[in-house]
Amino acid sequence: MKLVFSKTNLAKAVGIVMKAVPAKTTMNILECILIDATTNEIKFTANDMELGIETIVEGEILEKGKVAIDAKIFSEIVRKLPDNEICIETDSNYTSLITCEKSKFNIAGKSGDDFSYLPIIEKDKFITLSQFTLRETINQTLFSIAMNDNNKMMTGELFEVANGILKVVGLDGHRIAIRNIELTSHADDVKVVVPGKTLSEISKILSTNAEDAVTIYFTNNHILFEFDNTTVVSRLIEGEYFRINQMLSSDYETKVTINKKEFLDSIDRATLLIKESEKKPIILSITDGSLEVHVNSSMGSLNEDIDINKDGKDIMIGFNPKFLIDALKVIDDEQIYIYLVNPKAPCFIKDKEESYIYLILPVNFTAE
Amino acid sequence: MKLVFSKTNLAKAVGIVMKAVPAKTTMNILECILIDATTNEIKFTANDMELGIETIVEGEILEKGKVAIDAKIFSEIVRKLPDNEICIETDSNYTSLITCEKSKFNIAGKSGDDFSYLPIIEKDKFITLSQFTLRETINQTLFSIAMNDNNKMMTGELFEVANGILKVVGLDGHRIAIRNIELTSHADDVKVVVPGKTLSEISKILSTNAEDAVTIYFTNNHILFEFDNTTVVSRLIEGEYFRINQMLSSDYETKVTINKKEFLDSIDRATLLIKESEKKPIILSITDGSLEVHVNSSMGSLNEDIDINKDGKDIMIGFNPKFLIDALKVIDDEQIYIYLVNPKAPCFIKDKEESYIYLILPVNFTAE
């Protein structure tokens, strides 16, 4: 095999497939990138058996062939080579010579025969949206999923399509994040749970350009993302997702209209006085025209007043400040609406169209 | 005590004195910043008993007084407050109320009476140079000192002034870094060893502007840096520094003229194949017109040719690549000169005027 690439194209392709190379594995072959130039195109593949990525790389095939190369060392070499033509040449033992200007790297390769290609996915049900929108939607919800997998379902996100609306939901037992996206092109109805890791990795390789599209195909067991020259396939999480509709309610006793930045900055300052170990809540006292942020810890106390508009009853309620900060950070609106019922009931931050809904459970606090 | 500052002035002053707040200490008072407004100026002090920093802060004194406030929480509060006027007010129990716009922080303070002020230093012997030059000189030598203090003297740097030249030297047993700076104003002769930590912290607060000056005072036990509104005092390392002159020699068998960037990039790539645990050297083969960088490890091999000018004998010599990279990174010259004797003798990288000298010991290697 003998291939020639520009450094830019090669580095970009390696960066993409690297997202599916497992950090640790007992199967050596999974630590490799498969370079397949047996046909008339050059294809890079990485596959950790849960998530697989394949991308077609622009380059010149001087001699057909394929090889599996250790992903970590290969990506580091490519990154550090000069910005010029890079040639990859393998001999019959899969030893690979990587040359660029006056640099000649010689590294061991493996036969690609043991490599697991991506599964074949039936391209029956699908939706299309902009890569930018998908990336944003993931970033605006993924922080709400559970980190540990005591409950597997909580480590994924619901992707539900109905009536041309894509609903993406993440929850961890203390909060729920929901985004609703209107799809403007073809959209089949589906309901699947996608692993959080898959979404996290794909959000890093999606384009930030709103005009670039991604098509998502769904089967019972897999989800496939197709964009640019890249295909990402992931297993789904099996089982039925939580019934979130019964957790959502539009009744409220108090409605607060507040400037998002002022609220976020204030909570951010309040966290200075909270040690991780203390788990102190911040307390919000909502009265006519004013929301007071208050925290009292072993380090000291903070009081801040924020001007608000209030409809309904006064209320005093405690929160884990992290949950409020996470949600506020991903809301783009300048003004936000907070809906409250009582100090034991969840609070909702949502816009009028419900394009986003953030539900956060309050925590107990001792009133002073 | 009641003081008013602009956020900018306050944040800058806190940032400066924070450099002398110890990360860990058994003496609680050392974790504080002393705010002293008992006279007509406001002075912030921090002192870890080895290094002490004092800075005069612009601000308004509404009521005189002093207080010691926990440095970590105070600096975080100041950083997160809005960019506006900040007021600090303490009551008779040293409880401190920090207010800015609608934020009111209440934190405990301590009497400043137990605080150790900076020692009084006799301002007899001194030199003056630009802050930028001092900062650069520290950064160009400090990487060569020893990290652990098996040999205390190796954790400091020699500052020697003679005939209007400041010589700064750092060494760790495997290499020596030397910078010679011509002083254009008053310069007393001295020879002291300054703790590396002091130099590291001071380099972070020196101005990057070549026109700002710093005056350095020397006594037998202390060094004092005076610049802008700030005074930094540090203990010296006691004892006699290594006799470095006998390690320096101007004899050589081979002299190489090489492009610095090409050489650095090439060694940088070679390190990709070297695992920390393997301690493999890189091997340089120097022949007429060419320097070959070569490394051979369990991961693979690399060969690179670099065009050079060579005077004298051919030579093959091995190095720990880190030592070469550290020195090459801080040399600004485009072309550099390397002087070699034999594969067991130290190599020298230095300019013709010897404004810098980097001595690096070679390592053994098995020729293939």
Side-chain angles (χ1 to χ4, degrees), chain B residues 88-158:
Chain B
I88 304 177
E89 193 174 354
T90 53
D91 63 15
S92 55
N93 296 319
Y94 303 106
T95 302
S96 303
L97 178 67
I98 304 168
T99 52
C100 180
E101 292 181 5
K102 290 177 164 187
S103 294
K104 296 190 202 84
F105 275 96
N106 233 307
I107 57 174
K110 287 191 181 75
S111 146
D113 297 340
D114 297 341
F115 203 89
S116 300
Y117 282 85
L118 302 198
I120 308 293
I121 302 296
E122 202 182 317
K123 291 184 175 177
D124 182 16
K125 288 187 180 175
F126 68 94
I127 63 171
T128 301
L129 72 162
S130 100
Q131 292 188 40
F132 173 78
T133 303
L134 178 59
R135 182 191 180 107
E136 286 284 289
T137 304
I138 294 170
N139 292 336
Q140 287 161 343
T141 51
L142 201 63
F143 60 84
S144 278
I145 68 169
M147 281 304 120
N148 65 53
D149 51 1
N150 293 343
N151 184 327
K152 184 85 180 166
M153 198 58 75
M154 284 189 187
T155 66
E157 285 205 330
L158 176 72

Side-chain angles (χ1 to χ4, degrees), chain A residues 115-263:
Chain A
F115 202 89
S116 299
Y117 282 86
L118 302 200
I120 308 293
I121 302 296
E122 202 182 315
K123 292 185 176 176
D124 183 13
K125 288 188 182 175
F126 68 94
I127 62 171
T128 301
L129 70 164
S130 100
Q131 293 188 40
F132 173 78
T133 303
L134 178 58
R135 182 191 181 106
E136 286 284 289
T137 305
I138 294 171
N139 292 337
Q140 288 161 341
T141 51
L142 201 64
F143 60 84
S144 277
I145 67 169
M147 282 303 120
N148 65 54
D149 51 1
N150 293 342
N151 185 327
K152 182 86 179 165
M153 198 58 74
M154 284 190 188
T155 65
E157 285 204 332
L158 175 72
F159 271 56
E160 182 176 11
V161 181
N163 309 317
I165 304 279
L166 166 65
K167 185 199 288 291
V168 175
V169 181
L171 61 79
D172 69 358
H174 301 286
R175 52 179 167 175
I176 308 178
I178 303 174
R179 287 270 168 172
N180 289 302
I181 299 106
E182 221 169 299
L183 299 171
T184 47
S185 45
H186 175 93
D188 291 305
D189 285 5
V190 293
K191 190 172 179 182
V192 300
V193 183
V194 190
K197 185 173 175 301
T198 295
L199 296 171
S200 163
E201 298 301 344
I202 203 169
S203 75
K204 294 174 199 154
I205 54 178
L206 286 168
S207 146
T208 50
N209 188 335
E211 315 222 324
D212 297 338
V214 49
T215 300
I216 312 179
Y217 298 91
F218 303 90
T219 70
N220 288 336
N221 305 112
H222 288 95
I223 187 168
L224 182 152
F225 302 83
E226 209 172 68
F227 55 99
D228 307 334
N229 292 314
T230 300
T231 304
V232 178
V233 179
S234 165
R235 282 182 201 270
L236 294 172
I237 296 176
E238 284 172 45
E240 195 167 344
Y241 198 68
F242 309 94
R243 298 201 189 141
I244 55 155
N245 285 332
Q246 62 195 46
M247 304 179 211
L248 307 177
S249 138
S250 50
D251 294 341
Y252 64 87
E253 297 285 334
T254 312
K255 177 183 171 186
V256 173
T257 310
I258 191 169
N259 177 288
K260 193 207 75 167
K261 189 172 181 310
E262 283 182 28
F263 191 34

Side-chain angles (χ1 to χ4, degrees), chain B residues 237-249:
Chain B
I237 297 176
E238 285 171 45
E240 196 168 343
Y241 198 68
F242 309 96
R243 298 200 190 144
I244 56 156
N245 284 333
Q246 63 195 43
M247 305 177 209
L248 308 176
S249 137

Side-chain angles (χ1 to χ4, degrees), chain A residues 73 76-77 80-82 102-108 268-273 299-307, chain B residues 73 76-77 80-82 102-108 268-273 299-307:
Chain A
I73 183 77
E76 283 176 352
I77 288 172
K80 292 229 172 166
L81 282 174
K102 289 178 164 188
S103 293
K104 294 190 202 89
F105 275 96
N106 233 306
I107 56 174
D268 194 31
R269 280 189 287 272
T271 58
L272 290 179
L273 297 179
M299 282 190 267
S301 68
L302 168 70
N303 281 292
E304 295 207 12
D305 271 323
I306 305 171
D307 293 339
Chain B
I73 183 76
E76 283 176 355
I77 288 174
K80 292 231 170 163
L81 282 174
K102 290 177 164 187
S103 294
K104 296 190 202 84
F105 275 96
N106 233 307
I107 57 174
D268 194 31
R269 280 190 287 272
T271 58
L272 290 179
L273 298 178
M299 282 190 268
S301 69
L302 168 70
N303 282 291
E304 295 207 14
D305 271 323
I306 303 170
D307 293 339

Side-chain angles (χ1 to χ4, degrees), chain B residues 41-322:
Chain B
E41 58 186 17
I42 309 172
K43 215 157 56 179
F44 283 14
T45 311
N47 188 354
D48 74 4
M49 305 311 282
E50 173 132 332
L51 171 68
I53 303 180
E54 199 178 87
T55 193
I56 291 162
V57 197
E58 222 174 282
E60 204 182 335
I61 304 177
L62 301 182
E63 192 192 314
K64 290 186 178 184
K66 70 176 175 179
V67 64
I69 299 183
D70 183 88
K72 190 155 170 287
I73 183 76
F74 181 52
S75 77
E76 283 176 355
I77 288 174
V78 169
R79 193 163 50 87
K80 292 231 170 163
L81 282 174
D83 194 1
N84 211 327
E85 259 190 8
I86 297 177
C87 175
I88 304 177
E89 193 174 354
T90 53
D91 63 15
S92 55
N93 296 319
Y94 303 106
T95 302
S96 303
L97 178 67
I98 304 168
T99 52
C100 180
E101 292 181 5
K102 290 177 164 187
S103 294
K104 296 190 202 84
F105 275 96
N106 233 307
I107 57 174
K110 287 191 181 75
S111 146
D113 297 340
D114 297 341
F115 203 89
S116 300
Y117 282 85
L118 302 198
I120 308 293
I121 302 296
E122 202 182 317
K123 291 184 175 177
D124 182 16
K125 288 187 180 175
F126 68 94
I127 63 171
T128 301
L129 72 162
S130 100
Q131 292 188 40
F132 173 78
T133 303
L134 178 59
R135 182 191 180 107
E136 286 284 289
T137 304
I138 294 170
N139 292 336
Q140 287 161 343
T141 51
L142 201 63
F143 60 84
S144 278
I145 68 169
M147 281 304 120
N148 65 53
D149 51 1
N150 293 343
N151 184 327
K152 184 85 180 166
M153 198 58 75
M154 284 189 187
T155 66
E157 285 205 330
L158 176 72
F159 271 56
E160 183 176 12
V161 181
N163 308 318
I165 305 279
L166 166 66
K167 185 199 288 290
V168 176
V169 182
L171 61 79
D172 70 358
H174 301 286
R175 51 180 166 174
I176 308 178
I178 303 173
R179 287 270 168 172
N180 289 303
I181 299 107
E182 221 169 300
L183 300 172
T184 47
S185 44
H186 175 92
D188 291 305
D189 285 6
V190 292
K191 192 172 180 183
V192 298
V193 183
V194 190
K197 185 171 176 301
T198 295
L199 296 171
S200 163
E201 298 301 344
I202 204 169
S203 75
K204 293 173 199 156
I205 54 178
L206 287 168
S207 146
T208 51
N209 187 335
E211 314 223 324
D212 297 338
V214 49
T215 299
I216 312 179
Y217 297 92
F218 303 89
T219 69
N220 287 337
N221 304 111
H222 288 97
I223 186 167
L224 182 151
F225 303 81
E226 209 172 66
F227 55 100
D228 307 334
N229 292 314
T230 301
T231 304
V232 179
V233 179
S234 166
R235 282 182 201 268
L236 294 172
I237 297 176
E238 285 171 45
E240 196 168 343
Y241 198 68
F242 309 96
R243 298 200 190 144
I244 56 156
N245 284 333
Q246 63 195 43
M247 305 177 209
L248 308 176
S249 137
S250 51
D251 294 343
Y252 65 89
E253 296 286 333
T254 311
K255 176 184 170 186
V256 173
T257 310
I258 191 167
N259 178 288
K260 191 207 76 166
K261 187 172 181 313
E262 284 182 28
F263 191 33
L264 177 57
D265 288 350
S266 181
I267 301 170
D268 194 31
R269 280 190 287 272
T271 58
L272 290 179
L273 298 178
I274 300 175
K275 282 189 193 140
E276 193 60 42
S277 55
E278 275 188 315
K279 296 223 169 131
K280 277 270 177 186
I282 64 158
I283 298 161
L284 308 181
S285 300
I286 295 162
T287 51
D288 283 341
S290 152
L291 178 148
E292 193 200 19
V293 175
H294 178 62
V295 65
N296 196 359
S297 78
S298 62
M299 282 190 268
S301 69
L302 168 70
N303 282 291
E304 295 207 14
D305 271 323
I306 303 170
D307 293 339
I308 58 166
N309 273 319
K310 190 200 73 167
D311 294 332
K313 291 185 185 170
D314 288 0
I315 181 173
M316 195 185 241
I317 185 166
F319 287 104
N320 176 336
K322 185 183 181 311

Side-chain angles (χ1 to χ4, degrees), chain A residues 277-295:
Chain A
S277 55
E278 275 188 313
K279 296 226 168 125
K280 276 271 178 186
I282 65 158
I283 298 162
L284 308 182
S285 300
I286 296 163
T287 51
D288 281 342
S290 152
L291 180 148
E292 193 201 17
V293 175
H294 177 62
V295 65

